[in-house]
Amino acid sequence: MLLSGVDNAVIVIFSIFIIYVGIHFSKAVHDMESFYLGNRSLPWSLTVGALVATWYGGVGTIGTVEYAAMYGLSIWLIWCVTAHLGRMPLALWVGPRISIRTDVTVPDLLQDIYGKGVALIGAIFMLVYCTQFAQITAMGECGIAWGITPFEAGAGLIVLVIIVAVCGGLMGVAVTDMVLFWCMCFGLTMVLPTQWADVGGWAGLTQALGKTPDLMDPLGGLTFMKGLMLVVVSFGVYADPTFYQRFSASDSPKSGRRAMLSCFCLWICFDIILTVTGLIVKAKYGDSIGPGEGYIKLVLTTLPVGVRALFMIGLAGSIISALDGYYLSGAATFANDIYGRLKGNVSQKELVLITRITIVVLAIIGLSVAFQFSTAQDAFLFIASVWMSAGFVPIVGGLLYKGKKTPVGGYLSMLVGAGVFAYFKYYPLQAFDLEPLVAALPLSYIAWMIGNQIGKSVEVESIREVA
Amino acid sequence: MSNQKNSLEISWIGLDGFLVALYFVLVGIICYAIFRHNDFIIQYLLPYGFMIAVTGIFINYLSLVFKFAKTKKE
């Protein structure tokens, strides 16, 4: 075990605080809007905390360290810089437009644009995406700190996740997110100054990684296809349910936009901090240990007692925040968009109950799949690719394209995208390296364009009906 | 309606523009540190600057909570 009794005592006290917050906010939950959108009252600082904590999670932290140890500095320059740059339009134009819409979830949006059937299929894909088992894979890496198995670490984590999300809804999640945001950013960053000095700065790092010079090349390390795939996946945030939820929960579109622009500045700094930490892990341990486990070991064997607890809280906290956010979105999707649409005429009380039950089910599914993948980032790329293949084109196209959009367009883009992804995933091309998602997106787009020429527009029909 | 429109407008010569510009400035500083192998930026400027920024945001949130609690009491 790498943690002392004092460290564990600090972690237990903190866990009790998290449980208290969850239970405290459960009293304020009366309907779906207060449970899912926190009554649309999140100020700038709380939106920043919630966005950073939810999006980074275990994949953004441990996953980035793992990938930096495998692919080097190019992870930051090719992936991170491009990814945030590509998200600027989301913060400036798309997000504020979404926050003034009355749709509560992504399937609500799909129903308004393409009709009930497409919304139902979209809800099923989104539910799968929201299992976010990659976060639990990341927590498994932390098991080394207590000398327990990855599964045991994952199981312990989801108990906390369930308590916060089931009891407190978004307000409980957002408030704990804020504390966890600080712990995560502070705890994971404070190790860098000492480690950087210890490894001997750039000169020491270059020497230690002499056998793998590509890792120190900001434009090398990644193959073209891998780089392209990472950049494409980073655009997945345009179809990310937790983003729409957080943005809609901010107290105004302006506040949401500024929160997200602030996040870009924080993320680009945090990314380089995690990237160079990954390189330090590689320099110190080489291939003798997995980079995720190496990261935990590196930090816990160098930080003083008590401070190590802050690091672990930050790390586990980032995973809790992310899972809470996704489970909340996934469960609300099931309650509103699958159960609610199929049954019809469901009371607010029943919706909240179904959402809470679904959170528990999602957590159990996530735990049972999480350890089928070797790294958290690989697990994330798989689940994100499945969701993007099916959902990216109809959602983003639906929001940005002003022309005619029909149910056939929605169905075709989803089915073609998911079908092409599944085909190339299980029957990869032998002639050259092709990531399934890179093939699925353009074909989904073509299918969407063709489908939109067939049938009537749902939006036009609903306007006619109202008139 | 005009409130909503006002809320959607981007203030390029204001906080929105500043935050967009700040992103590019930060990318420039980090690129400089990578390509010129500058230890000071990686070891001190970035980690301490980042920790101060997130602490500032956290304090901003706490001050809102205290202000809200005080108003409620009154």
Side-chain angles (χ1 to χ4, degrees), chain A residues 322-443:
Chain A
L323 278 179
D324 274 331
Y326 281 105
Y327 287 171
L328 202 57
S329 290
T333 298
F334 180 79
N336 265 325
D337 306 303
I338 300 177
Y339 181 82
R341 282 177 215 276
L342 291 177
K343 196 181 171 198
N345 205 14
V346 186
S347 71
Q348 286 292 316
K349 207 175 168 186
E350 196 179 350
L351 276 180
V352 173
L353 176 71
I354 295 293
T355 304
R356 285 174 164 154
I357 293 169
T358 313
I359 288 170
V360 180
V361 175
L362 284 176
I364 293 167
I365 294 171
L367 184 65
S368 59
V369 183
F371 302 108
Q372 308 295 320
F373 295 85
S374 54
T375 69
Q377 200 67 263
D378 288 339
F380 171 74
L381 288 178
F382 175 77
I383 198 78
S385 298
V386 172
W387 167 237
M388 273 191 81
S389 301
F392 185 82
V393 172
I395 293 172
V396 179
L399 277 170
L400 300 182
Y401 181 61
K402 290 200 169 74
K404 183 181 158 193
K405 287 153 288 191
T406 68
V408 181
Y411 281 121
L412 273 183
S413 62
M414 277 193 175
L415 298 176
V416 169
V420 171
F421 175 82
Y423 180 82
F424 284 115
K425 185 75 192 167
Y426 294 103
Y427 303 101
L429 282 185
Q430 302 298 325
F432 62 94
D433 180 26
L434 176 71
E435 289 287 349
L437 177 65
V438 174
L441 281 181
L443 291 174

Side-chain angles (χ1 to χ4, degrees), chain A residues 81 182 196 202 253 257-258, chain B residues 8-9 11 16 23 37 39 55:
Chain A
V81 174
W182 184 80
W196 190 254
W202 285 110
R257 178 199 296 131
R258 286 177 182 170
Chain B
L8 287 176
E9 255 170 38
S11 56
D16 297 332
Y23 175 79
H37 281 192
D39 285 322
T55 306

Side-chain angles (χ1 to χ4, degrees), chain A residues 40-53:
Chain A
R40 297 182 191 257
S41 60
L42 268 56
W44 167 80
S45 53
L46 198 50
T47 312
V48 170
L51 280 171
V52 172

Side-chain angles (χ1 to χ4, degrees), chain A residues 57-243:
Chain A
V59 177
T61 52
I62 294 181
T64 304
V65 170
E66 282 175 340
Y67 261 31
M70 289 159 74
Y71 300 107
L73 275 173
S74 56
I75 281 293
W76 183 81
L77 193 61
I78 295 175
W79 182 25
C80 303
V81 174
T82 323
H84 300 317
L85 206 56
R87 291 163 181 165
M88 287 267 177
L90 184 68
L92 292 168
W93 295 286
V94 184
R97 273 193 212 169
I98 290 160
S99 66
I100 59 167
R101 292 181 73 117
T102 51
D103 325 283
V104 174
T105 63
V106 168
D108 277 345
L109 195 101
L110 287 173
Q111 172 153 353
D112 288 350
I113 302 169
Y114 305 103
K116 198 174 173 181
V118 176
L120 198 64
I121 297 176
I124 293 166
F125 276 112
M126 201 182 117
L127 193 63
V128 174
Y129 176 65
C130 286
T131 53
Q132 284 295 316
F133 47 78
Q135 303 292 345
I136 305 174
T137 314
M139 188 62 202
E141 312 273 15
C142 302
I144 190 175
W146 292 279
I148 56 176
T149 65
F151 183 84
E152 287 165 346
L157 175 94
I158 64 162
V159 172
L160 276 177
V161 170
I162 288 171
I163 291 171
V164 176
V166 165
C167 295
L170 181 68
M171 209 56 195
V173 170
V175 171
T176 52
D177 268 1
M178 198 62 211
V179 183
L180 297 173
F181 151 77
W182 184 80
C183 290
M184 174 180 87
C185 295
F186 205 92
L188 272 65
T189 304
M190 69 184 173
V191 298
L192 181 61
T194 319
Q195 289 302 331
W196 190 254
D198 201 37
V199 81
W202 285 110
L205 206 54
T206 309
Q207 196 183 4
L209 298 172
K211 284 182 183 167
T212 46
D214 272 359
L215 295 182
M216 293 300 286
D217 179 0
L219 298 167
L222 281 170
T223 61
F224 172 76
M225 190 50 77
K226 188 76 182 176
L228 180 64
M229 153 79 168
L230 288 173
V231 170
V232 169
V233 166
S234 64
F235 281 86
V237 73
Y238 280 82
D240 190 295
T242 57
F243 164 75

Side-chain angles (χ1 to χ4, degrees), chain B residues 2 6 9 13 16 18 20 24 31 33 40 46 51 59 64 71 74:
Chain B
S2 76
N6 194 25
E9 255 170 38
I13 320 281
D16 297 332
F18 168 75
V20 173
F24 289 102
C31 280
F40 175 78
L46 275 175
M51 286 191 280
I59 290 170
L64 278 179
T71 318
E74 281 169 5

Side-chain angles (χ1 to χ4, degrees), chain B residues 3-73:
Chain B
N3 254 357
Q4 212 172 67
K5 202 181 166 191
N6 194 25
S7 202
L8 287 176
E9 255 170 38
I10 301 165
S11 56
W12 289 109
I13 320 281
L15 198 53
D16 297 332
F18 168 75
L19 288 168
V20 173
L22 183 62
Y23 175 79
F24 289 102
V25 170
L26 288 169
V27 169
I29 291 171
I30 298 168
C31 280
Y32 174 82
I34 290 173
F35 286 102
R36 302 301 297 262
H37 281 192
N38 185 305
D39 285 322
F40 175 78
I41 293 173
I42 299 291
Q43 189 176 350
Y44 299 108
L45 188 65
L46 275 175
Y48 289 111
F50 182 70
M51 286 191 280
I52 290 168
V54 295
T55 306
I57 293 168
F58 190 52
I59 290 170
N60 175 284
Y61 167 68
L62 290 180
S63 69
L64 278 179
V65 173
F66 284 122
K67 218 181 273 176
F68 177 73
K70 208 176 159 188
T71 318
K72 214 176 171 187
K73 227 177 186 179

Side-chain angles (χ1 to χ4, degrees), chain A residues 197-336:
Chain A
D198 201 37
V199 81
W202 285 110
L205 206 54
T206 309
Q207 196 183 4
L209 298 172
K211 284 182 183 167
T212 46
D214 272 359
L215 295 182
M216 293 300 286
D217 179 0
L219 298 167
L222 281 170
T223 61
F224 172 76
M225 190 50 77
K226 188 76 182 176
L228 180 64
M229 153 79 168
L230 288 173
V231 170
V232 169
V233 166
S234 64
F235 281 86
V237 73
Y238 280 82
D240 190 295
T242 57
F243 164 75
Y244 288 97
Q245 180 205 30
R246 296 297 199 269
F247 218 107
S248 301
S250 60
D251 57 12
S252 72
K254 195 182 272 181
S255 169
R257 178 199 296 131
R258 286 177 182 170
M260 199 166 170
L261 290 173
S262 310
C263 284
F264 293 141
C265 299
L266 293 175
W267 285 332
I268 203 64
C269 296
F270 199 33
D271 287 338
I272 189 67
I273 288 164
L274 293 168
T275 303
V276 291
T277 306
L279 289 171
I280 294 170
V281 169
K282 179 76 177 175
K284 290 216 165 179
Y285 298 109
D287 295 325
S288 65
I289 185 171
E293 283 190 349
Y295 177 46
I296 309 289
K297 196 174 167 188
L298 175 85
V299 174
L300 296 187
T301 49
T302 47
L303 283 179
V305 175
V307 182
R308 290 188 300 210
L310 184 65
F311 170 81
M312 284 312 294
I313 290 167
L315 202 54
S318 66
I319 300 171
I320 292 171
S321 299
L323 278 179
D324 274 331
Y326 281 105
Y327 287 171
L328 202 57
S329 290
T333 298
F334 180 79
N336 265 325

